[in-house]
Structure formats: structure tokens, C-alpha cells
Amino acid sequence: MIRTPARPWETISRYRRYWLSAFIILPACSAGLMLDQVLADRLPLWLEIPTLLIFSMLFAWISAGFWTALVGFILLMSGRTDTAPGSPELRLAEPNPHNKVAILMPIYNEEVERVAAGLQATFKSLQRAGALAHFEFFLLSDTRNPDVWLREELVWSALCESLDAFGKIHYRRRPVNNKAKSGNVADFCRRWGRDYEYMVVLDADSVMNGETLYRMLEMMEGNPQVGIIQTQPVAVNRETLYARLQQFAQHLYGPVFSAGLRFWQLGDGHYIGHNAILRTAPFTEYCALPVLPGRPPLGGPLLSHDFVEAALMARNGWEVWFVPSLPGSYEEVPPTLIDDLKRDRRWAQGNMQHLRLLAGEGLRSAHRFLFINGAMSFLAAPLWGLFLILGALGSLHWAGGGNDDTVTPFHWGSSIDPLPFWLFGVTAVLLLSPKWMAILWVARQPGRRQQFGGLFHLILSMLMESVFSVLMAPIRMAFHSQFVIQTLSGKGVRWGAQVRGDQETSWPVALRFFGWCSALGLVLAVALYPFLGFWHFVWLVPILGGLMAAVPLGVWTSRPGLGRWARQHRLFVIPEEVLVPEELQALDSDSVAYLPHIEGDAFVQVVVDPRFNAIHSALQRNRTGLWPRAASLCHKALEEGPQQLSNRERNILLSDRNSMLSLHRAVWSMNDRKRLTAWGLESDDQDEFIHEAGQ
Amino acid sequence: MFKDESSYSVNPAGEGLPAWSAEAMVVAHSAPVLIRMERYLARLALTDAQRLWIRAQVVTQMQEVTADQDALSARAFASMHQALATLGDGDELDARLDLSLNIPVHVSQDLHSCRWLRQQVAPAIHRSAMASLPMDRSWLGAVSRLWQTLFSRSKVLVSRRILTGEA
């Protein structure tokens, strides 16, 4: 093996991470010791030690976020982007004309029109940038629903026709969708990876600016040691109040945290699975995911692939850079709290699986830290819950000692130690100061505050967002704790399509989903109040209040009407709403109005309609192995009607060209009125016959 | 590519055609079948002349059939597909594709539309292997590696190999 000196950024990053570790560990230990001074004489050891341990862990966890934000804030305020030696931004190169980039859009039972609009917007943006020659698009479908599959095919052909993009936009549907999205991308690499130097992976709701894509290509060309460049996608386009809160928070606080994250990571960055460019050859060679021994949820295929792929890339010597300064990268957030929590359920399982890779040979320490960080995003919830329980037990113990008489918020008895209040204050600063840092940064930039609706509305939005965050935190805690417990107890999660439209949560659905949370909050409030007394109970009000309000919060925040009202009143405004980028304008539903619209049952239409049938049949091959089964299914479809076929049976027929052509001919050659009606033909025949006879 | 009416000397009015009365009998006898055929053709982007030519072909074929209604429908549909195929100079599926998609002229002249569409939907496959590499995930192994790094004389150098394209 040829060896070369260490990369220049590695030394810098090592020192930075030492500092970060010190900043996390030392204050956490100090805070733990301070709390110990308070608890030492007041609580028994069995209560004191776990309280201290959990407190220190949680303190370390939130201080990591604080220091990241602080560093990002300093960098942004000083007007510098972090360009350590070796940063890909420093070395751009004209792309080799022979090098091609595949833009992959893995989809799974998605809303086809939205996917088409996003793809079309990116395509046109590349066209405007004059960079289309380097790029080709691949719609990689894992769709199992035959109706959606057929719509995808027709939309693909219509898109190609309208954009004159035959040969530039490709479509592939995997017959077997093992390993979900990562398997879909791997399938591309196995089939066509050799022909494409790079690939850009998008989500079904991603949109990217053409110039940004070209800049990413230039970075890859100029930095042959780089394996992945990840952009920071910004959340856009949603209308529900919940999604607007998320969008606003991400736009306001995101840059501060991203700049900080980049500062610590440098070439050991993360990959979030979309809106990133990857070097195909090393990805194919090194990034096939291991299957963990044992059964899901902790064993089996990895549910969250992206962090692991970045770790595997770095393990084999390739650099992974997070470049938050790249603009024009967009995504959409889940529209409601329920959808967000459903996504979290999958992520919780995936991140817990990552802990099994922690001791993996050759992984870089930065990526081990990312695994821990990811898992902590979910483990923090049960830890916080446990800390609250221990705190409540401690309060009971304390109140039981008859020490509560003189305590009010305004008059602390002389026996009350102010230290816990200091710790509470420090914790609040760690949690809330990044929000003010972000406000300061925005306020400092000329014109930027107007993009958030003006300074007054910006601050008001931030305060309201903080209130919502405080109220939703206990709900998340309850759910994340449930997810962790479910995962550890062996209950896995199935791969499901994400909800991408603005769908309102109804009261019955909210009651079914959040009812137990509200009930838990109510029961705890009734049970704890008599034991804790008023002033100890006051401390629990934000938590119990949030839990009790879970049902109405779930419903109200899901309302697009409230979101639109907030926007009209300049609340939670984001820059992309004030100055709408061209790519996002192109997402307008009118932009895809020309796409073929299938009325009713898509399977019936594809059998009956000569155009749809021709397009679909042309894309299939003859699967001779299926013919005996397909023949009996054709017979069943003709005798009993298409409605009697299950999705699985329809998929068998649809995947065989001969069956589709035979069905088409047979249906149009039938005379039985009842059967023709089942295929939607008879009534029209009759109408026309009567009409002609009349004439 | 589709031929226009001049290529086929289509006579939309149908005047002066031989056996005109026989055709009229067929039309009268199998009106529902022909109506359905018209509906089928209406879904394809045919010119009036092309549509009438196909209709004429079907009617001519049906004159030779004396069968029940089921066989009549099947025969009519088969004749229509045959006429479509003739019109498209190839397979009826290619003809329907040509009429459904705006396929470039040179393509439909040189290649079957069906094959061309399959080439567009997915480029030629050049397979590569992609399999996960072995990784020791044991904690014992991790501790022993850490020990080696910290205390062994043969410490791992802070260096890396040259990557493809870097040399």
C-alpha cells in the first residue's frame, strides 16, 4: 500500500475536536459536581447517583449543541466561511466533458405529480445553467402499488416528451425492493454505476438549483480525494402550521448550527442520504451496507443507511465534506406532528442499529461520534423521562422531610440552596441562546431581516416557535421513549411511504394517536399535585401541560389554514417565501397540468386505453416463466372482472408484456355486456349506439 | 413513420367503391362492433383519412366473415390492429406507440419504436459488483486495536493510501 502524508485538515480537525470534547466534558462534570453539592445531604445514594449520572449526560448532550452553535455564530458574524486547507470549495475544476452525473430520485409509492414537478424544476434549472450535457436523471421506483406504478410510467413518458428528454430521464422499477432506498441506489450502482462518474442522490421531494449542481460537480472534479459532498437542504413549500414552524426554525437556526458542524467535521462530514453528490466508483466498491446479525429491529438490514455510507466512505480513505454554503438545495418537511413522529420511528430504529457498528474496525472517530450523536437524539428522551421521574422522587423525598414550607417563587427560605436555580439558568441558556445568536446574525445582515418578515415579526416568530417547542418537547419525549423501548424490545417498523401533501389531522385521529399522551399528562398532574405541593408542582407544568395538550396541539398545528393565517400576519416567514427562487416557482401545480391524468382504476385504463397500453407494454418484457400463472390470471380478470384481482395479481400481469397485450385484445373483442361494464366499456358503447341510432 | 392519406389513396366519402352495398350491409349488421372500433381509434391521434382507411379495411375484412357476434368482434379488432400495423409500416404496438408519443421521425424510421422506448427508459447495463466488505465489529477487537494504537511500538502511522485519480 502506498502511503502519503496525513491530509492537512486532519491535524486541524483533531485539535478542534479535542477542544469540543473538552468543552462538552468539563462543563458537564462541573455541573454534575455542583448538583452533587445540593443533593449529597438531601437524597439517599440510590437516588443521588443515577440522578447525577443522567444529569451529566444530558448536560453534555445539550452543551454539544450549544458549542456547535456558538462556533457557527462566531464564524458567521465574522463573515468568514470555514475554508480549512483541503476544503473542496478551494479547488474547483472544469468538468471533463466525458464525465457524467446521474441524478437519482428513489421513489416509493409517492405522489407522482409532485415527483414530476420536482424533477422538471431541477431539469429546467440545469437547462438554464447550461449544464444539462453532464447530467442524466434516473427515477428509481420501488413502488408496489400498481396504480402508482402505472402513473409513474405514464408521467415519465409525458415528461420526456414535454422536455424533449428521452435518453436524459430514465425510469426503472425494481421488481423486488430489498434493503429499501439503499438497496435501490445499490441496484443503480450495480447496473449503471460504471457509466457515471458521480451520482447526485435526491429525495422524492427534493429540488436542486442547476448552478449548485454544476458547482458540486466542479468541486468533485477539483478534489479527487473527495467521496461525498453534502449540501444543507432547506425546508420549503409547506402550509400547515406545524411544517411552517419547522421551516422557520430550520431557516433561522440552521445556518448557525451548520457552520458549527462544518467547523468540527471538516473532511469527516456526514451524509443525510439526499441532496448530495457522491463519487460512484468508491461508493460501489466500499459502501454496500452490512446486514447485521440477528433479527430486526436491532439486527438485519440497516434502516438508516446514510450515516453508515459516509462512515464506510471515510473508512476507506475518501473524504466526506459538508458544504452548508452551497445554496439552492431544497426539501420538504413532514406536514404534521404525526407524520414527523412516524418518520422518527424509522429513524429511531436506524440510529439504534448504528450503535452496533460503534466498535467497527477502521471507522473514523468522527463517525463513531456521529453514530452516538444520532442514537442520543432518541435515547435522550427516555433519559430525560428518567431524570424527571428521579426528580419527582427527589421532590417527594424532600417534601416528605418537611422542608417545603417557606418556598415561593418570590421568597426562597434561607434553607433553600440557590445552586439548582443556577443550574436551571445555565441549562436554559444552553438551550435558548442559539436562538438569539441566530436572531443577531440575521439582524446584522442588511436586507436579511426583511426576508423573515421584519425584525419585530422575526423576534415574535422566534418566541412563539420557542413556546411551541417547549410544549411539543414532552410529547416528543413520550413518543421517542416509546420508540426506544419498542426497538429494544424487538418490535420493528415497516418501510412506508412518507406523507408529502398538506393533510390535516382530524380530532379522532389525533385522539387515537395522542390520546394516551394527554391521559398520561392528566393522570400525572392529578397524582403528583397532592404530594409535591404547589411550588414544586409549578416546575412540572411545562411538561405536564405539553403532554395534556397533545391532542389539540396535534390537530391545530396540522391545519394549513392556521399556517396561511400565520403567513398573512408575517409570522414564521422564510426567505424563500419572500423571494421565491425560480426552481420553486416551477413546482406550481400548473407546471405539470399537462401530465396524463388517469381517471379511476389505473390498471383498467392501462388494459383498455390503446395509448397507455402501448406505452406500458412496450416497457415490459415477456416473462415466459410467468405465463402459466399469468394465463390463469388473465382468464380470471376477463371472467370475474379486474376488480377481483389483488394488487399482487395485478403486478404479475402488469410485469408481463404478453399478458398486457393479450388482455388488451381480449377486452376490446368481448361482447358480453356485463364483462364490458367491468372494464368500463359497455356504457359508452350503448350511449354511442343510441346516439347514432337517433341520428 | 405514418403514411398520410395520399400514400393510401384514401377516399373518405367512399363513393364509387366496388361492393359498396355489401359494405353497407356489414355496417348495418355489426354497428356496435364498429362503434366500439371507432371509440378505440378516437383514442389514438389519427387523422380523419387514416381513421377512415382503417375503418374501410376492417369493413372489407368483415365482409368475408359469417360468424356469431363474438367471432365478429374478435375479427374486427384483429383487422383493425392489422390495418394499424400496415399504417405504421410494422408492428401494431409500434404503431400505437408512434401515435401515443411524439417519437422523433428518424427514430421511428430506423428502429422499432418499442425497442427505442426501451432504450430510452434505461440505458444499456454494464454490471459492477457491489458487496459489503467484512468488518470486525467486536468490542474486544476494538479494545485490542485501541491498545495497539496507544501502547504498541508498531503504531499505525497517520497516513493514508493514494486514491484513484490522485496520483
Side-chain angles (χ1 to χ4, degrees):
Chain A
M1 185 187 290
I2 305 163
R3 288 182 179 277
T4 60
R7 291 164 282 198
W9 57 266
E10 283 189 314
T11 319
I12 300 168
S13 70
R14 199 175 307 124
Y15 282 109
R16 287 182 183 179
R17 289 172 204 161
Y18 287 156
W19 279 107
L20 174 66
S21 306
F23 282 140
I24 292 173
I25 293 166
L26 293 179
C29 292
S30 311
L33 287 173
M34 279 167 75
L35 189 66
D36 186 45
Q37 283 182 22
V38 183
L39 301 181
D41 302 328
R42 294 178 171 92
L43 293 184
L45 209 59
W46 66 268
L47 209 53
E48 182 194 344
I49 290 185
T51 306
L52 283 175
L53 276 176
I54 293 174
F55 173 77
S56 304
M57 282 170 76
L58 290 174
F59 195 93
W61 163 244
I62 57 170
S63 67
F66 168 79
W67 292 113
T68 302
L70 184 66
V71 167
F73 175 67
I74 293 169
L75 279 171
L76 292 174
M77 289 297 271
S78 62
R80 292 189 297 125
T81 46
D82 180 34
T83 45
S87 301
E89 299 98 311
L90 296 178
R91 217 165 26 165
L92 305 180
E94 184 77 17
N96 181 332
H98 301 296
N99 284 352
K100 287 194 292 180
V101 185
I103 298 182
L104 313 184
M105 204 177 240
I107 49 177
Y108 176 65
N109 289 342
E110 304 285 349
E111 188 191 323
V112 185
E113 283 73 23
R114 172 60 188 84
V115 172
L119 193 150
Q120 180 178 264
T122 307
F123 186 95
K124 285 185 174 174
S125 184
L126 270 169
Q127 217 165 22
R128 282 193 296 276
L132 199 54
H134 291 284
F135 294 86
E136 280 180 32
F137 290 75
F138 283 80
L139 268 171
L140 302 174
S141 171
D142 260 334
T143 296
R144 309 263 46 91
N145 182 334
D147 272 18
V148 183
W149 166 25
L150 297 171
R151 285 189 167 89
E152 285 170 3
E153 274 181 358
L154 297 178
V155 160
W156 165 78
S157 62
L159 262 181
C160 289
E161 210 177 349
S162 117
L163 298 170
D164 191 18
F166 280 114
K168 294 294 275 182
I169 302 176
H170 307 288
Y171 174 81
R172 145 106 174 136
R173 177 179 168 273
R174 277 201 303 169
V176 180
N177 50 2
N178 64 326
K179 290 195 179 179
K181 182 179 170 183
S182 64
N184 203 352
V185 173
D187 180 71
F188 164 83
C189 292
R190 289 191 187 103
R191 287 169 169 260
W192 299 292
R194 201 183 287 181
D195 298 333
Y196 299 88
E197 189 74 13
Y198 311 105
M199 55 186 186
V200 173
V201 181
L202 299 182
D203 247 2
D205 55 14
S206 297
V207 176
M208 287 200 73
N209 174 283
E211 284 176 18
T212 303
L213 285 167
Y214 189 70
R215 179 59 48 86
M216 288 160 78
L217 172 59
E218 285 180 322
M219 284 183 192
M220 289 302 253
E221 289 281 273
N223 298 274
Q225 78 286 1
V226 172
I228 301 176
I229 290 176
Q230 173 69 59
T231 64
Q232 173 61 63
V234 290
V236 290
N237 269 350
R238 282 272 175 261
E239 294 218 310
T240 61
L241 182 62
Y242 179 81
R244 289 182 60 75
L245 284 163
Q246 304 297 313
Q247 284 177 182
F248 172 77
Q250 202 214 44
H251 274 79
L252 184 61
Y253 320 135
V256 174
F257 282 101
S258 298
L261 206 55
R262 159 64 186 259
F263 182 82
W264 305 126
Q265 288 182 335
L266 294 180
D268 285 328
H270 65 282
Y271 165 51
I272 58 168
H274 58 94
N275 294 43
I277 188 166
L278 300 96
R279 199 174 293 272
T280 316
F283 185 86
T284 309
E285 194 173 351
Y286 303 118
C287 295
L289 295 178
V291 176
L292 296 173
R295 286 183 177 179
L298 288 174
L302 286 158
L303 213 62
S304 276
H305 56 98
D306 34 30
F307 276 24
V308 183
E309 284 161 352
L312 293 175
M313 195 69 117
R315 178 190 185 222
N316 289 286
W318 296 87
E319 295 174 16
V320 180
W321 286 86
F322 173 43
V323 186
S325 56
L326 280 169
S329 175
Y330 309 101
E331 65 170 348
E332 288 175 3
V333 287
T336 66
L337 183 57
I338 291 183
D339 296 314
D340 204 1
L341 288 170
K342 280 180 182 168
R343 189 179 69 173
D344 279 355
R345 175 67 184 90
R346 290 196 303 276
W347 285 3
Q349 184 173 323
N351 280 290
M352 299 283 283
Q353 282 181 318
H354 292 169
L355 291 179
R356 295 191 63 189
L357 297 170
L358 216 49
E361 181 190 3
L363 294 181
R364 295 180 68 83
S365 53
H367 287 107
R368 291 184 213 272
F369 177 77
L370 280 176
F371 288 161
I372 296 172
N373 197 46
M376 268 304 282
S377 311
F378 296 95
L379 287 172
L383 284 177
W384 184 34
L386 206 57
F387 182 68
L388 288 174
I389 293 168
L390 291 171
L393 286 175
S395 292
L396 284 174
H397 190 85
W398 177 242
N403 297 309
D404 200 23
D405 298 339
T406 55
V407 185
T408 73
F410 308 108
H411 178 249
W412 299 343
S414 56
S415 63
I416 299 296
D417 194 335
L419 218 52
F421 296 92
W422 278 107
L423 282 177
F424 175 77
V426 170
T427 309
V429 166
L430 292 183
L431 284 171
L432 299 177
S433 60
K435 295 177 188 270
W436 287 103
M437 291 177 200
I439 293 274
L440 278 174
W441 175 62
V442 169
R444 190 168 176 267
Q445 296 172 88
R448 186 74 175 167
R449 67 189 83 159
Q450 273 68 41
Q451 293 179 357
F452 283 94
L455 191 60
F456 172 74
H457 288 93
L458 172 64
I459 293 174
L460 188 63
S461 302
M462 186 275 281
L463 292 174
M464 289 175 74
E465 187 275 330
S466 302
V467 171
F468 274 107
S469 294
V470 168
L471 285 173
M472 285 185 201
I475 305 172
R476 283 184 195 282
M477 177 196 72
F479 274 93
H480 286 187
S481 304
Q482 188 196 18
F483 299 160
V484 169
I485 292 166
Q486 281 177 343
T487 306
L488 291 177
S489 59
K491 195 174 174 193
V493 65
R494 283 194 321 159
W495 186 33
Q498 287 189 43
V499 175
R500 304 201 192 263
D502 285 326
Q503 286 176 9
E504 203 169 311
T505 306
S506 64
W507 283 98
V509 170
L511 204 64
R512 204 171 61 236
F513 205 82
F514 297 116
W516 69 274
C517 258
S518 295
L520 180 71
L522 205 66
V523 167
L524 283 176
V526 171
L528 289 176
Y529 186 79
F531 294 102
L532 295 180
F534 182 72
W535 297 115
H536 273 146
F537 184 76
V538 165
W539 289 94
L540 291 177
V541 164
I543 296 152
L544 297 179
L547 283 177
M548 281 192 283
V551 173
L553 264 179
V555 173
W556 290 332
T557 55
S558 75
R559 293 198 169 153
L562 272 179
R564 284 192 285 271
W565 178 88
R567 188 179 169 180
Q568 280 163 10
H569 291 81
R570 289 199 282 163
L571 292 171
F572 317 123
V573 174
I574 57 170
E576 278 74 13
E577 289 171 344
V578 177
L579 281 172
V580 187
E582 226 166 331
E583 304 82 67
L584 299 186
Q585 285 174 26
L587 286 182
D588 196 288
S589 56
D590 292 344
S591 65
V592 286
Y594 67 86
L595 293 176
H597 185 67
I598 302 183
E599 293 285 348
D601 189 336
F603 176 77
V604 171
Q605 289 300 314
V606 167
V607 170
V608 171
D609 192 290
R611 294 161 302 163
F612 297 164
N613 180 267
I615 295 169
H616 176 76
S617 304
L619 296 178
Q620 310 310 312
R621 56 191 176 85
N622 284 327
R623 295 173 190 274
T624 46
L626 283 178
W627 281 357
R629 174 106 170 95
S632 68
L633 289 175
C634 279
H635 187 70
K636 181 181 174 183
L638 294 169
E639 283 295 315
E640 299 170 27
Q643 294 77 15
Q644 301 308 315
L645 295 173
S646 67
N647 275 356
R648 189 178 160 72
E649 289 171 334
R650 286 176 175 212
N651 277 334
I652 291 173
L653 287 176
L654 285 166
S655 59
D656 177 42
R657 183 182 183 179
N658 191 43
S659 300
M660 288 312 289
L661 292 175
S662 305
L663 265 180
H664 179 68
R665 287 174 195 138
V667 166
W668 280 97
S669 305
M670 281 192 307
N671 266 317
D672 186 304
R673 194 170 290 177
K674 197 174 152 197
R675 288 188 204 165
L676 281 170
T677 311
W679 291 94
L681 283 174
E682 171 61 10
S683 56
D684 290 349
D685 274 2
Q686 284 297 108
D687 291 347
E688 279 184 48
F689 185 57
I690 292 163
H691 180 68
E692 284 207 358
Q695 281 182 336
Chain B
M1 183 56 188
F2 270 80
K3 294 174 173 65
D4 61 13
E5 50 267 48
S6 62
S7 317
Y8 284 98
S9 305
V10 170
N11 178 1
E15 290 162 5
L17 282 174
W20 169 241
S21 55
E23 279 188 17
M25 286 296 288
V26 170
V27 170
H29 182 62
S30 48
V33 175
L34 291 176
I35 287 171
R36 197 183 309 152
M37 191 190 75
E38 285 292 347
R39 283 190 53 215
Y40 187 94
L41 294 176
R43 296 185 187 211
L44 297 169
L46 290 162
T47 63
D48 279 349
Q50 287 168 332
R51 194 167 47 79
L52 287 167
W53 181 80
I54 292 171
R55 189 189 159 102
Q57 294 296 307
V58 174
V59 170
T60 310
Q61 295 275 322
M62 284 169 72
Q63 283 175 46
E64 297 156 15
V65 182
T66 48
D68 62 0
Q69 198 69 12
D70 279 346
L72 203 67
S73 296
R75 182 59 186 263
F77 191 76
S79 307
M80 181 175 62
H81 267 188
Q82 199 178 352
L84 264 174
T86 312
L87 205 58
D89 272 349
D91 190 63
E92 76 54 44
L93 181 59
D94 289 325
R96 280 196 281 143
L97 260 186
D98 285 343
L99 292 166
S100 311
L101 294 172
N102 189 17
I103 295 176
V105 175
H106 69 276
V107 169
S108 53
Q109 277 174 345
D110 301 343
L111 205 62
H112 287 293
S113 306
C114 203
R115 192 183 300 167
W116 176 83
L117 192 69
R118 277 205 302 277
Q119 285 173 2
Q120 306 311 305
V121 79
I125 294 171
H126 297 116
R127 288 203 182 272
S128 313
M130 187 173 181
S132 62
L133 302 175
M135 185 201 286
D136 177 9
R137 292 183 297 101
S138 72
W139 284 98
L140 193 65
V143 171
S144 97
R145 284 193 300 276
L146 185 69
W147 181 267
Q148 270 189 336
T149 314
L150 294 175
F151 303 111
S152 165
R153 285 180 186 174
S154 57
K155 281 185 179 176
V156 178
L157 295 173
V158 184
S159 55
R160 65 183 184 91
R161 63 182 158 179
I162 286 183
L163 303 168
T164 334
E166 269 192 303

